[in-house]
Amino acid sequence: MASFLSSHSLLQLALLISIIEFSSAARTFSVSDQSQDPLLFQYHNGPLLTSEVSINLIWYGKFKPSQRAIVSDFIASVSSRRPTTAQPSVATWWKATEKYYNLVKTKKTSPPLLSVGAQILDESYSLGKSLSSKQIVQLASKGGQKGAINVVLTSSDVAVEGFCSSKCGTHGSSSSAKTINGKRSKFAYIWVGNSETQCPGQCAWPFHQPIYGPQNPPLVAPNNDVGLDGMVINLASLLAGTATNPFENGYFQGPKEAPLEAASACPGVYGKGAYPGYAGDLLVDSATGASYNAHGVNGRKYVLPALFDPSTSTCSTLI
């Protein structure tokens, strides 16, 4: 288990390699003066996501079938009913979120069982190649809005408001279009952009050299796709944040407008020994030279972020 980064290290990390901090709606770059006190997560008494949840994937722009498979296999790996026997696994990484649910004293809950839901292709760029935050929500609403998280994935030639300049992805919630008993329910959504050509040094690190700081050789991406393997890291971070803080009143530390969540509390930490500019001691595939820390279904390998352990106030890594 890696030690939680000090405030000085966090500041260095943000300055050196633009590693990203979440807000309730966005994974954003920022430099903040953290308190010297241990980071303590607070539960704000709101609902967490539980039960069976479909992950609807809205592909906006051009993606190869092989690229879509990288993401869909990752989702299938999170809560696979036939988990891979190889360890460490994606399912083991997701199981770490149980600690948040175990702290809810009002009722016994557990993390959601995720499965791949509908896949919607928008290869014609129906809203153009420059999207606002409002249009991201518009795209997210195309997915089912009950028992689901709608994930919008934008291709490398699509510009999104704040993308690269302040964020790599977002998560939030929106009101459902349909009413139930006269009330509108909320659904959770995520957006992640493919940064391969726009800002790989910010949003696809450690598979690309960082913009600032030590210029160590980048790691070989486990699925041989810098953009998509970077998207998986960001999607994993946002999934953990969505499950434990879906409606801005779950688990987070700091101000509601720019909170630290389950994964964003551990920026740039992927394995033991991580420090600014170094992702940590990861496993290496002897055949391809690719780095990874988690096995998935269909023989996939992934790099996944450390999750903050609320019971120990440390960043917990798979390896």
Side-chain angles (χ1 to χ4, degrees):
M1 184 175 292
S3 299
F4 182 68
L5 295 174
S6 68
S7 61
H8 179 67
S9 295
L10 279 173
L11 184 59
Q12 270 192 311
L13 190 60
L15 285 169
L16 290 177
I17 58 175
S18 293
I19 295 301
I20 307 145
E21 200 174 84
F22 284 100
S23 72
S24 59
R27 190 181 181 190
T28 60
F29 308 111
S30 68
V31 179
S32 58
D33 183 16
Q34 301 287 334
S35 166
Q36 294 293 331
D37 296 329
L39 187 64
L40 299 176
F41 267 52
Q42 183 178 352
Y43 176 48
H44 296 79
N45 300 314
L48 310 183
L49 294 188
T50 60
S51 304
E52 296 188 4
V53 174
S54 294
I55 305 298
N56 299 315
L57 302 174
I58 298 110
W59 299 93
Y60 189 84
K62 306 291 187 183
F63 287 91
K64 299 174 184 176
S66 59
Q67 292 180 314
R68 296 199 297 269
I70 292 170
V71 174
S72 58
D73 281 352
F74 165 66
I75 299 298
S77 302
V78 172
S79 302
S80 175
R81 285 157 177 76
R82 291 183 296 171
T84 177
T85 56
Q87 292 295 330
S89 70
V90 176
T92 300
W93 172 82
W94 184 247
K95 190 174 176 62
T97 60
E98 281 187 2
K99 295 192 176 183
Y100 289 85
Y101 290 75
N102 292 340
L103 293 174
V104 178
K105 297 181 173 58
T106 53
K107 57 183 178 180
K108 194 166 184 68
T109 57
S110 60
L113 290 172
L114 306 184
S115 61
V116 179
Q119 298 208 43
I120 301 169
L121 305 185
D122 188 339
E123 296 182 312
S124 63
Y125 305 89
S126 62
L127 299 178
K129 291 189 175 182
S130 182
L131 303 178
S132 66
S133 298
K134 185 177 180 180
Q135 287 174 313
I136 291 294
V137 178
Q138 183 180 340
L139 288 170
S141 66
K142 291 184 177 183
Q145 297 173 11
K146 184 177 180 181
I149 301 172
N150 295 331
V151 179
V152 178
L153 302 122
T154 51
S155 59
S156 59
D157 57 348
V158 175
V160 177
E161 181 182 349
F163 188 30
C164 295
S165 64
S166 62
K167 59 194 176 187
C168 299
T170 63
H171 87 84
S173 62
S174 183
S175 296
S176 174
K178 296 182 179 180
T179 60
I180 301 176
N181 297 324
K183 296 182 178 180
R184 292 187 186 275
S185 61
K186 284 186 174 182
F187 70 93
Y189 69 86
I190 290 171
W191 158 71
V192 179
N194 184 345
S195 67
E196 181 179 14
T197 59
Q198 297 187 53
C199 55
Q202 290 168 296
C203 296
W205 186 83
F207 308 125
H208 189 281
Q209 285 181 298
I211 293 177
Y212 308 108
Q215 297 299 298
N216 297 322
L219 303 182
V220 177
N223 295 286
N224 198 34
D225 192 312
V226 169
L228 268 293
D229 279 298
M231 290 182 85
V232 167
I233 288 179
N234 296 324
L235 176 57
S237 298
L238 290 162
L239 275 176
T242 299
T244 56
N245 186 31
F247 306 119
E248 301 184 13
N249 54 7
Y251 277 103
F252 63 88
Q253 190 269 350
K256 184 178 180 180
E257 296 74 25
L260 290 176
E261 296 177 325
S264 61
C266 303
V269 180
Y270 302 102
K272 286 184 175 64
Y275 56 81
Y278 177 61
D281 300 329
L282 302 181
L283 300 171
V284 177
D285 187 304
S286 59
T288 65
S291 295
Y292 68 98
N293 63 3
H295 292 269
V297 299
N298 298 326
R300 295 280 185 190
K301 295 180 175 70
Y302 298 99
V303 172
L304 301 180
L307 295 179
F308 184 78
D309 186 334
S311 64
T312 62
S313 295
T314 59
C315 289
S316 178
T317 59
L318 277 169
I319 57 175

